Amino acid sequence: MDMEGFAKRVSDTITVARIGVAGAIAAAVIAAWISYLSANKTFDASMVTVGVGILSQEPDGMSSAATRQWATDLVEKHSGLPFSPEAKEALKAHSLGGAKNPISPTK
């Protein structure tokens, strides 16, 4: 084998190795990103559950007003669906499902 042919094979081998390493790095980055998104959605679902749990209880005076406001904000933030102004007002005085009209997020 002549020197030019050998150099070409070495160059091709190095190119293939670089592509393989780049592919492995890309796969690791994609896997980490998917894992991050999954954990983020799990956290959001947990926060919505906490907020709904608080809002499911009947309000018991002024001490719960701030807690109910916090829970409403929590559900809005982590669900991505804002409550209408009417729903927010209803949640101050009633539990979820406790008002005469059902409380639903705005579209």
Coordinates of all heavy atoms in Angstrom, one line a residue:
M1 N 0.8 -1.2 0.0 CA 0.0 0.0 0.0 C 0.9 1.2 0.0 O 1.9 1.3 0.7 CB -0.9 0.0 1.2 CG -1.7 1.2 1.4 SD -2.6 1.2 3.0 CE -4.1 0.4 2.5
D2 N 0.5 2.2 -0.8 CA 1.4 3.4 -0.9 C 1.0 4.4 0.2 O -0.1 4.2 0.9 CB 1.2 4.1 -2.3 CG -0.1 4.6 -2.6 OD1 -1.1 4.3 -1.8 OD2 -0.3 5.4 -3.5
M3 N 1.8 5.3 0.4 CA 1.6 6.3 1.5 C 0.3 7.1 1.4 O -0.4 7.4 2.4 CB 2.8 7.2 1.6 CG 2.9 7.9 2.9 SD 3.0 6.7 4.2 CE 3.6 7.7 5.5
E4 N 0.0 7.5 0.1 CA -1.2 8.3 -0.1 C -2.5 7.5 0.3 O -3.4 8.0 0.9 CB -1.3 8.7 -1.6 CG -0.7 10.1 -1.8 CD -0.9 10.5 -3.2 OE1 -2.0 10.4 -3.8 OE2 0.0 11.1 -3.8
G5 N -2.5 6.3 -0.1 CA -3.7 5.4 0.2 C -3.8 5.2 1.7 O -4.9 5.2 2.2
F6 N -2.7 5.0 2.4 CA -2.7 4.8 3.8 C -3.2 6.1 4.5 O -4.1 6.0 5.4 CB -1.3 4.5 4.3 CG -1.3 4.3 5.8 CD1 -1.8 3.2 6.4 CD2 -0.7 5.3 6.6 CE1 -1.7 3.1 7.8 CE2 -0.6 5.2 8.0 CZ -1.2 4.1 8.6
A7 N -2.8 7.3 4.1 CA -3.2 8.5 4.6 C -4.7 8.8 4.4 O -5.4 9.2 5.3 CB -2.4 9.7 4.1
K8 N -5.2 8.3 3.2 CA -6.6 8.5 2.9 C -7.4 7.6 3.9 O -8.5 8.0 4.4 CB -6.8 8.1 1.5 CG -8.3 8.1 1.0 CD -8.8 9.4 0.8 CE -10.2 9.3 0.1 NZ -11.2 9.9 0.9
R9 N -7.0 6.4 4.1 CA -7.7 5.5 5.0 C -7.7 6.0 6.4 O -8.8 5.9 7.1 CB -7.1 4.1 5.0 CG -7.5 3.3 3.7 CD -6.9 1.9 3.8 NE -7.3 1.1 2.7 CZ -8.1 0.1 2.8 NH1 -8.4 -0.4 3.9 NH2 -8.4 -0.6 1.7
V10 N -6.6 6.5 6.9 CA -6.5 7.1 8.2 C -7.5 8.3 8.3 O -8.2 8.4 9.3 CB -5.1 7.4 8.6 CG1 -5.0 8.3 9.9 CG2 -4.2 6.2 8.7
S11 N -7.5 9.1 7.3 CA -8.3 10.3 7.3 C -9.8 9.9 7.3 O -10.6 10.5 8.1 CB -8.0 11.1 6.1 OG -8.9 12.2 6.0
D12 N -10.2 8.9 6.5 CA -11.5 8.4 6.5 C -11.9 7.8 7.9 O -13.1 8.0 8.3 CB -11.7 7.4 5.4 CG -11.7 8.0 4.0 OD1 -11.7 9.2 3.9 OD2 -11.5 7.2 3.0
T13 N -11.0 7.1 8.5 CA -11.3 6.4 9.8 C -11.5 7.5 10.8 O -12.5 7.4 11.6 CB -10.2 5.5 10.2 OG1 -10.0 4.5 9.2 CG2 -10.4 4.8 11.5
I14 N -10.7 8.5 10.8 CA -10.9 9.6 11.8 C -12.2 10.4 11.6 O -12.9 10.7 12.5 CB -9.7 10.6 11.7 CG1 -8.4 9.9 12.2 CG2 -10.0 11.9 12.5 CD1 -7.1 10.7 12.0
T15 N -12.6 10.6 10.3 CA -13.9 11.2 10.0 C -15.0 10.4 10.5 O -16.0 10.9 11.1 CB -14.0 11.4 8.5 OG1 -12.9 12.3 8.0 CG2 -15.3 12.1 8.1
V16 N -15.0 9.1 10.3 CA -16.1 8.2 10.8 C -16.1 8.2 12.3 O -17.2 8.3 12.9 CB -15.9 6.8 10.3 CG1 -16.8 5.8 11.0 CG2 -16.1 6.7 8.8
A17 N -15.0 8.2 13.0 CA -14.9 8.3 14.4 C -15.5 9.6 14.9 O -16.3 9.6 15.9 CB -13.5 8.1 14.9
R18 N -15.2 10.7 14.3 CA -15.7 12.0 14.7 C -17.3 12.0 14.5 O -18.0 12.6 15.4 CB -15.1 13.1 13.8 CG -13.7 13.5 14.2 CD -13.2 14.6 13.3 NE -11.8 14.9 13.7 CZ -11.0 15.6 13.0 NH1 -11.4 16.1 11.8 NH2 -9.8 15.9 13.4
I19 N -17.8 11.5 13.5 CA -19.2 11.4 13.2 C -19.8 10.6 14.3 O -20.9 10.9 14.9 CB -19.5 10.9 11.8 CG1 -19.1 11.9 10.8 CG2 -21.0 10.5 11.7 CD1 -19.2 11.4 9.4
G20 N -19.2 9.5 14.7 CA -19.7 8.6 15.7 C -19.8 9.3 17.1 O -20.8 9.2 17.8
V21 N -18.7 10.0 17.4 CA -18.6 10.8 18.7 C -19.7 11.9 18.7 O -20.4 12.1 19.7 CB -17.2 11.3 18.9 CG1 -17.2 12.3 20.1 CG2 -16.2 10.2 19.2
A22 N -19.8 12.6 17.6 CA -20.8 13.7 17.5 C -22.2 13.1 17.7 O -23.1 13.6 18.4 CB -20.7 14.4 16.2
G23 N -22.5 11.9 17.1 CA -23.8 11.3 17.2 C -24.1 10.8 18.6 O -25.2 11.0 19.1
A24 N -23.1 10.3 19.3 CA -23.2 9.9 20.7 C -23.5 11.1 21.6 O -24.3 11.0 22.5 CB -22.0 9.2 21.2
I25 N -22.8 12.2 21.4 CA -23.0 13.4 22.2 C -24.4 14.0 21.9 O -25.1 14.3 22.8 CB -21.9 14.5 21.8 CG1 -20.6 14.0 22.4 CG2 -22.3 15.8 22.4 CD1 -19.4 14.9 21.9
A26 N -24.9 14.0 20.6 CA -26.2 14.4 20.3 C -27.2 13.6 21.0 O -28.2 14.1 21.5 CB -26.4 14.5 18.8
A27 N -27.1 12.3 21.0 CA -28.0 11.4 21.6 C -28.1 11.6 23.1 O -29.2 11.6 23.7 CB -27.7 9.9 21.3
A28 N -27.0 11.8 23.7 CA -26.9 12.1 25.2 C -27.6 13.4 25.5 O -28.4 13.5 26.5 CB -25.5 12.1 25.7
V29 N -27.4 14.4 24.7 CA -28.1 15.7 24.9 C -29.6 15.6 24.7 O -30.3 16.1 25.5 CB -27.5 16.8 24.0 CG1 -28.3 18.1 23.9 CG2 -26.0 17.1 24.3
I30 N -30.0 14.9 23.7 CA -31.4 14.7 23.5 C -32.1 13.9 24.6 O -33.1 14.3 25.1 CB -31.7 14.0 22.1 CG1 -31.3 15.0 21.0 CG2 -33.1 13.5 22.0 CD1 -31.3 14.3 19.6
A31 N -31.4 12.9 25.1 CA -31.9 12.1 26.2 C -32.0 13.0 27.5 O -33.0 12.9 28.2 CB -31.1 10.9 26.5
A32 N -31.0 13.8 27.7 CA -31.1 14.7 28.9 C -32.2 15.7 28.8 O -32.9 16.0 29.8 CB -29.7 15.4 29.1
W33 N -32.4 16.2 27.6 CA -33.5 17.2 27.4 C -34.8 16.6 27.6 O -35.7 17.2 28.2 CB -33.4 17.8 26.0 CG -34.4 18.8 25.7 CD1 -35.4 18.7 24.8 CD2 -34.5 20.1 26.2 NE1 -36.2 19.9 24.8 CE2 -35.6 20.8 25.7 CE3 -33.7 20.8 27.2 CZ2 -36.0 22.1 26.0 CZ3 -34.1 22.1 27.5 CH2 -35.2 22.7 26.9
I34 N -35.0 15.4 27.1 CA -36.3 14.7 27.3 C -36.6 14.4 28.8 O -37.7 14.6 29.3 CB -36.4 13.4 26.4 CG1 -36.5 13.8 24.9 CG2 -37.5 12.5 26.8 CD1 -36.3 12.6 24.0
S35 N -35.5 14.0 29.5 CA -35.6 13.7 30.9 C -36.0 15.0 31.6 O -36.8 15.0 32.5 CB -34.3 13.2 31.4 OG -34.4 13.0 32.8
Y36 N -35.4 16.1 31.3 CA -35.7 17.4 31.9 C -37.1 17.8 31.7 O -37.8 18.2 32.6 CB -34.7 18.5 31.3 CG -35.2 19.9 31.7 CD1 -34.9 20.4 33.0 CD2 -35.8 20.7 30.8 CE1 -35.3 21.7 33.3 CE2 -36.2 22.0 31.1 CZ -36.0 22.5 32.3 OH -36.4 23.7 32.7
L37 N -37.6 17.7 30.4 CA -39.0 18.0 30.1 C -40.0 17.2 30.9 O -41.0 17.6 31.4 CB -39.2 17.9 28.6 CG -38.6 19.0 27.7 CD1 -38.8 18.7 26.3 CD2 -39.0 20.4 28.1
S38 N -39.7 15.9 31.0 CA -40.5 15.0 31.7 C -40.6 15.3 33.2 O -41.7 15.4 33.8 CB -40.0 13.5 31.5 OG -40.8 12.6 32.3
A39 N -39.4 15.6 33.8 CA -39.4 16.0 35.2 C -40.2 17.3 35.4 O -40.9 17.5 36.4 CB -38.0 16.1 35.7
N40 N -40.0 18.2 34.5 CA -40.7 19.5 34.6 C -42.2 19.3 34.5 O -42.9 20.0 35.3 CB -40.2 20.4 33.4 CG -40.1 21.8 33.8 OD1 -40.0 22.2 35.0 ND2 -40.0 22.7 32.9
K41 N -42.7 18.5 33.6 CA -44.2 18.2 33.6 C -44.7 17.5 34.8 O -45.8 17.8 35.3 CB -44.5 17.4 32.3 CG -44.3 18.2 31.0 CD -45.3 19.3 31.0 CE -45.1 20.1 29.7 NZ -45.9 21.4 29.8
T42 N -43.9 16.6 35.4 CA -44.3 16.0 36.6 C -44.4 17.0 37.7 O -45.3 16.9 38.5 CB -43.2 14.9 37.0 OG1 -43.2 13.9 35.9 CG2 -43.6 14.2 38.2
F43 N -43.4 17.9 37.8 CA -43.5 18.9 38.8 C -44.7 19.8 38.6 O -45.4 20.1 39.6 CB -42.2 19.8 38.8 CG -42.2 20.9 39.8 CD1 -42.0 20.7 41.1 CD2 -42.4 22.2 39.3 CE1 -42.0 21.7 42.0 CE2 -42.4 23.3 40.2 CZ -42.2 23.0 41.6
D44 N -45.0 20.2 37.4 CA -46.2 21.0 37.1 C -47.4 20.3 37.6 O -48.3 20.9 38.2 CB -46.3 21.4 35.6 CG -45.3 22.4 35.2 OD1 -44.8 23.2 36.1 OD2 -45.0 22.5 34.0
A45 N -47.5 19.0 37.2 CA -48.7 18.3 37.6 C -48.9 18.2 39.1 O -50.0 18.3 39.7 CB -48.7 16.8 37.0
S46 N -47.8 18.0 39.8 CA -47.8 18.0 41.3 C -48.2 19.3 41.9 O -49.0 19.4 42.8 CB -46.4 17.7 41.9 OG -46.0 16.4 41.5
M47 N -47.8 20.4 41.3 CA -48.2 21.7 41.8 C -49.7 22.0 41.5 O -50.4 22.6 42.4 CB -47.3 22.8 41.2 CG -45.9 22.8 41.6 SD -45.6 23.1 43.4 CE -45.5 21.5 44.0
V48 N -50.2 21.6 40.4 CA -51.6 21.7 40.1 C -52.4 20.9 41.1 O -53.4 21.4 41.6 CB -51.9 21.3 38.7 CG1 -53.4 21.2 38.4 CG2 -51.3 22.3 37.7
T49 N -51.9 19.7 41.4 CA -52.6 18.9 42.4 C -52.7 19.6 43.8 O -53.7 19.5 44.5 CB -51.9 17.5 42.5 OG1 -51.9 16.9 41.3 CG2 -52.6 16.6 43.6
V50 N -51.6 20.2 44.2 CA -51.5 20.9 45.5 C -52.6 22.1 45.4 O -53.4 22.2 46.4 CB -50.1 21.5 45.8 CG1 -50.1 22.4 46.9 CG2 -49.2 20.3 46.1
G51 N -52.5 22.8 44.4 CA -53.5 24.0 44.3 C -54.9 23.5 44.3 O -55.8 24.1 45.0
V52 N -55.2 22.5 43.5 CA -56.6 22.0 43.4 C -57.0 21.4 44.8 O -58.2 21.6 45.2 CB -56.8 20.9 42.3 CG1 -58.1 20.2 42.4 CG2 -56.6 21.6 40.9
G53 N -56.1 20.8 45.5 CA -56.4 20.3 46.8 C -56.8 21.4 47.8 O -57.8 21.3 48.5
I54 N -56.1 22.5 47.7 CA -56.5 23.7 48.6 C -57.8 24.3 48.1 O -58.7 24.6 49.0 CB -55.3 24.7 48.5 CG1 -54.1 24.2 49.2 CG2 -55.8 26.1 49.1 CD1 -52.8 25.0 48.9
L55 N -58.0 24.4 46.8 CA -59.2 25.1 46.3 C -60.4 24.2 46.5 O -61.6 24.6 46.4 CB -59.0 25.5 44.9 CG -58.0 26.6 44.7 CD1 -57.7 26.8 43.2 CD2 -58.4 27.9 45.3
S56 N -60.2 22.9 46.7 CA -61.3 22.0 46.9 C -62.0 22.1 48.2 O -63.1 21.6 48.5 CB -60.9 20.5 46.6 OG -60.5 20.3 45.3
Q57 N -61.2 22.7 49.2 CA -61.8 22.8 50.5 C -62.6 24.1 50.6 O -62.3 25.1 49.9 CB -60.6 22.9 51.5 CG -59.6 21.8 51.5 CD -60.3 20.5 51.9 OE1 -61.1 20.4 52.9 NE2 -60.1 19.4 51.1
E58 N -63.6 24.1 51.4 CA -64.4 25.3 51.6 C -63.6 26.4 52.3 O -62.8 26.0 53.2 CB -65.7 25.0 52.5 CG -66.8 24.3 51.7 CD -67.4 25.2 50.6 OE1 -67.4 26.4 50.7 OE2 -67.8 24.6 49.6
P59 N -63.7 27.6 51.9 CA -62.9 28.7 52.6 C -63.4 28.8 54.1 O -64.6 28.6 54.3 CB -63.2 29.9 51.8 CG -64.2 29.6 50.8 CD -64.4 28.1 50.8
D60 N -62.5 29.1 55.0 CA -62.8 29.2 56.4 C -62.5 30.6 57.0 O -61.8 30.6 58.0 CB -62.3 28.1 57.2 CG -60.7 28.0 57.1 OD1 -60.1 28.9 56.5 OD2 -60.1 27.1 57.7
G61 N -62.8 31.6 56.3 CA -62.5 32.9 56.9 C -61.4 33.7 56.2 O -60.9 33.2 55.2
M62 N -61.0 34.8 56.8 CA -60.0 35.6 56.2 C -58.6 35.0 56.1 O -57.8 35.3 55.2 CB -59.9 37.0 57.0 CG -61.1 37.8 56.9 SD -61.5 38.2 55.1 CE -60.2 39.3 54.7
S63 N -58.3 34.1 57.0 CA -56.9 33.5 57.0 C -56.7 32.7 55.7 O -55.6 32.5 55.3 CB -56.7 32.7 58.2 OG -57.6 31.6 58.2
S64 N -57.8 32.2 55.1 CA -57.6 31.3 54.0 C -57.6 32.1 52.7 O -57.3 31.6 51.6 CB -58.6 30.2 53.9 OG -59.9 30.8 53.6
A65 N -57.9 33.4 52.7 CA -58.0 34.2 51.5 C -56.7 34.3 50.8 O -56.6 34.1 49.6 CB -58.5 35.6 51.8
A66 N -55.6 34.5 51.5 CA -54.3 34.6 50.9 C -53.9 33.2 50.4 O -53.3 33.1 49.3 CB -53.3 35.1 51.9
T67 N -54.2 32.2 51.1 CA -53.8 30.8 50.7 C -54.6 30.4 49.4 O -54.0 29.9 48.5 CB -54.2 29.8 51.8 OG1 -53.5 30.2 53.0 CG2 -53.8 28.4 51.4
R68 N -55.9 30.8 49.4 CA -56.7 30.5 48.2 C -56.2 31.3 47.0 O -56.2 30.8 45.9 CB -58.2 30.8 48.5 CG -58.7 29.8 49.5 CD -60.2 30.0 49.8 NE -61.0 29.5 48.6 CZ -61.2 28.3 48.4 NH1 -60.7 27.3 49.2 NH2 -61.9 27.9 47.4
Q69 N -55.8 32.5 47.2 CA -55.2 33.3 46.1 C -53.9 32.7 45.6 O -53.7 32.6 44.4 CB -54.9 34.8 46.6 CG -54.3 35.6 45.5 CD -55.2 35.8 44.3 OE1 -56.4 36.1 44.4 NE2 -54.7 35.6 43.1
W70 N -53.1 32.3 46.5 CA -51.8 31.6 46.2 C -52.1 30.3 45.4 O -51.5 30.0 44.4 CB -51.0 31.3 47.5 CG -49.8 30.5 47.2 CD1 -48.6 30.9 46.8 CD2 -49.6 29.1 47.4 NE1 -47.7 29.9 46.7 CE2 -48.3 28.7 47.0 CE3 -50.5 28.0 47.7 CZ2 -47.8 27.4 47.0 CZ3 -50.0 26.7 47.8 CH2 -48.7 26.4 47.4
A71 N -53.1 29.5 45.9 CA -53.4 28.3 45.2 C -54.0 28.6 43.8 O -53.7 27.8 42.8 CB -54.5 27.5 46.0
T72 N -54.8 29.6 43.6 CA -55.3 30.0 42.3 C -54.1 30.3 41.4 O -54.1 29.9 40.2 CB -56.3 31.2 42.4 OG1 -57.3 30.8 43.3 CG2 -56.8 31.6 41.1
D73 N -53.2 31.1 41.9 CA -52.0 31.5 41.1 C -51.2 30.3 40.7 O -50.7 30.2 39.6 CB -51.2 32.5 41.8 CG -51.9 33.9 42.1 OD1 -52.9 34.1 41.4 OD2 -51.4 34.6 42.9
L74 N -51.0 29.4 41.7 CA -50.3 28.2 41.5 C -50.9 27.3 40.4 O -50.2 26.9 39.4 CB -50.2 27.4 42.8 CG -49.3 26.1 42.8 CD1 -47.9 26.6 42.9 CD2 -49.6 25.3 44.0
V75 N -52.2 27.1 40.4 CA -52.8 26.3 39.4 C -52.7 27.0 38.0 O -52.4 26.4 37.0 CB -54.3 26.1 39.7 CG1 -55.1 25.5 38.5 CG2 -54.5 25.2 40.9
E76 N -52.9 28.3 38.0 CA -52.7 29.0 36.7 C -51.3 28.9 36.1 O -51.2 28.6 34.9 CB -53.1 30.5 36.9 CG -54.5 30.8 37.0 CD -54.8 32.3 37.0 OE1 -54.1 33.0 37.7 OE2 -55.8 32.7 36.4
K77 N -50.3 29.1 37.0 CA -49.0 29.1 36.5 C -48.6 27.7 36.0 O -47.9 27.6 34.9 CB -48.0 29.5 37.7 CG -46.6 29.4 37.3 CD -45.7 29.8 38.5 CE -44.2 29.6 38.1 NZ -43.3 30.0 39.2
H78 N -48.9 26.6 36.7 CA -48.4 25.3 36.4 C -49.3 24.5 35.4 O -48.9 23.5 34.9 CB -48.1 24.5 37.7 CG -47.0 25.0 38.4 ND1 -45.7 24.8 38.0 CD2 -46.9 25.9 39.5 CE1 -44.9 25.4 38.9 NE2 -45.6 26.1 39.8
S79 N -50.6 25.0 35.2 CA -51.4 24.4 34.2 C -51.3 25.1 32.9 O -51.6 24.5 31.9 CB -52.9 24.4 34.7 OG -53.4 25.7 34.6
G80 N -50.9 26.4 32.9 CA -50.9 27.1 31.7 C -52.2 27.7 31.3 O -52.4 28.2 30.2
L81 N -53.3 27.5 32.1 CA -54.6 27.9 31.8 C -55.1 28.9 32.8 O -55.3 28.6 34.0 CB -55.6 26.7 31.8 CG -55.2 25.6 30.7 CD1 -56.1 24.4 31.0 CD2 -55.4 26.2 29.3
P82 N -55.3 30.2 32.4 CA -55.7 31.2 33.4 C -57.2 31.0 33.7 O -58.0 30.6 32.9 CB -55.5 32.5 32.7 CG -55.6 32.2 31.2 CD -55.1 30.7 31.1
F83 N -57.6 31.4 35.0 CA -59.0 31.4 35.4 C -59.5 32.7 34.9 O -58.8 33.8 34.8 CB -59.1 31.4 36.9 CG -58.9 30.0 37.5 CD1 -57.7 29.7 38.2 CD2 -59.8 29.0 37.3 CE1 -57.5 28.5 38.8 CE2 -59.6 27.7 37.8 CZ -58.4 27.5 38.6
S84 N -60.8 32.7 34.6 CA -61.5 34.0 34.3 C -61.6 34.8 35.5 O -61.5 34.3 36.6 CB -62.9 33.7 33.7 OG -63.7 33.2 34.7
P85 N -61.8 36.1 35.4 CA -61.9 37.0 36.6 C -63.1 36.5 37.5 O -63.1 36.5 38.7 CB -62.2 38.4 36.0 CG -61.5 38.4 34.7 CD -61.7 37.0 34.2
E86 N -64.2 36.0 36.8 CA -65.4 35.6 37.5 C -65.0 34.3 38.3 O -65.4 34.1 39.5 CB -66.5 35.2 36.6 CG -67.1 36.4 35.8 CD -66.2 36.8 34.6 OE1 -65.4 36.0 34.1 OE2 -66.4 37.9 34.1
A87 N -64.2 33.4 37.8 CA -63.8 32.2 38.4 C -62.9 32.5 39.6 O -63.1 31.9 40.7 CB -63.1 31.3 37.5
K88 N -62.0 33.5 39.5 CA -61.2 33.9 40.6 C -62.0 34.4 41.8 O -61.7 34.1 42.9 CB -60.2 34.9 40.2 CG -59.1 34.4 39.3 CD -58.1 35.4 39.0 CE -57.0 34.9 38.0 NZ -56.0 35.9 37.7
E89 N -63.0 35.2 41.5 CA -63.9 35.7 42.5 C -64.7 34.6 43.2 O -64.8 34.6 44.4 CB -64.8 36.8 41.9 CG -64.2 38.1 41.7 CD -63.6 38.7 43.0 OE1 -64.3 38.8 44.0 OE2 -62.4 39.2 42.9
A90 N -65.2 33.7 42.4 CA -66.0 32.6 42.9 C -65.1 31.7 43.8 O -65.6 31.2 44.9 CB -66.6 31.7 41.8
L91 N -63.8 31.5 43.5 CA -62.9 30.7 44.3 C -62.6 31.3 45.7 O -62.2 30.6 46.6 CB -61.6 30.4 43.5 CG -61.8 29.4 42.4 CD1 -60.5 29.3 41.6 CD2 -62.1 28.0 43.0
K92 N -62.8 32.6 45.8 CA -62.6 33.3 47.1 C -63.7 32.8 48.1 O -63.4 32.8 49.3 CB -62.6 34.8 46.9 CG -61.4 35.3 46.2 CD -61.5 36.8 46.1 CE -60.3 37.4 45.3 NZ -60.4 38.9 45.2
A93 N -64.9 32.6 47.6 CA -66.0 32.3 48.5 C -66.5 30.8 48.5 O -67.2 30.4 49.3 CB -67.2 33.2 48.1
H94 N -66.0 30.0 47.4 CA -66.5 28.7 47.3 C -65.4 27.7 47.0 O -64.4 28.1 46.4 CB -67.6 28.6 46.1 CG -68.7 29.5 46.3 ND1 -69.7 29.3 47.2 CD2 -69.0 30.7 45.7 CE1 -70.6 30.3 47.1 NE2 -70.2 31.2 46.2
S95 N -65.6 26.5 47.3 CA -64.6 25.5 46.9 C -64.9 25.1 45.4 O -65.9 25.5 44.8 CB -64.8 24.2 47.7 OG -66.0 23.6 47.4
L96 N -63.9 24.4 44.8 CA -64.1 24.0 43.4 C -65.4 23.1 43.4 O -65.5 22.2 44.1 CB -62.9 23.2 42.9 CG -61.7 24.0 42.5 CD1 -60.5 23.0 42.3 CD2 -61.9 24.8 41.3
G97 N -66.3 23.4 42.5 CA -67.5 22.7 42.4 C -68.6 23.1 43.4 O -69.7 22.6 43.4
G98 N -68.2 24.0 44.4 CA -69.1 24.4 45.4 C -70.0 25.6 45.0 O -71.0 25.9 45.6
A99 N -69.6 26.3 43.9 CA -70.4 27.4 43.5 C -71.5 26.9 42.7 O -71.6 25.8 42.2 CB -69.5 28.3 42.6
K100 N -72.5 27.8 42.5 CA -73.7 27.4 41.7 C -73.3 27.1 40.3 O -73.9 26.3 39.6 CB -74.8 28.5 41.8 CG -75.4 28.6 43.1 CD -76.5 29.7 43.1 CE -77.0 29.8 44.5 NZ -78.0 30.8 44.7
N101 N -72.4 27.9 39.7 CA -71.9 27.7 38.4 C -70.5 27.0 38.4 O -69.7 27.4 39.2 CB -71.8 29.0 37.6 CG -73.1 29.7 37.5 OD1 -74.1 29.0 37.2 ND2 -73.1 31.0 37.7
P102 N -70.3 26.0 37.6 CA -69.0 25.4 37.6 C -67.9 26.4 37.3 O -68.1 27.3 36.5 CB -69.1 24.3 36.5 CG -70.3 24.6 35.7 CD -71.2 25.5 36.5
I103 N -66.7 26.2 37.9 CA -65.6 27.1 37.7 C -64.7 26.4 36.6 O -64.3 25.3 36.8 CB -64.8 27.3 39.0 CG1 -65.7 28.0 40.0 CG2 -63.6 28.1 38.7 CD1 -65.2 28.1 41.3
S104 N -64.4 27.2 35.6 CA -63.5 26.6 34.5 C -62.6 27.6 34.1 O -62.8 28.8 34.1 CB -64.4 26.1 33.4 OG -65.1 27.1 32.8
P105 N -61.4 27.2 33.6 CA -60.4 28.2 33.1 C -60.9 28.8 31.8 O -61.8 28.3 31.1 CB -59.2 27.3 32.8 CG -59.6 25.9 32.9 CD -61.0 25.8 33.5
T106 N -60.4 30.0 31.5 CA -60.7 30.7 30.3 C -60.0 30.0 29.1 O -59.0 29.3 29.3 CB -60.3 32.2 30.3 OG1 -58.9 32.2 30.5 CG2 -61.1 32.9 31.4
K107 N -60.5 30.2 27.9 CA -59.8 29.6 26.8 C -58.8 30.6 26.2 O -58.8 31.7 26.3 CB -60.8 29.3 25.7 CG -61.8 28.2 26.2 CD -62.1 27.3 25.2 CE -63.1 26.3 25.8 NZ -63.1 25.0 25.5

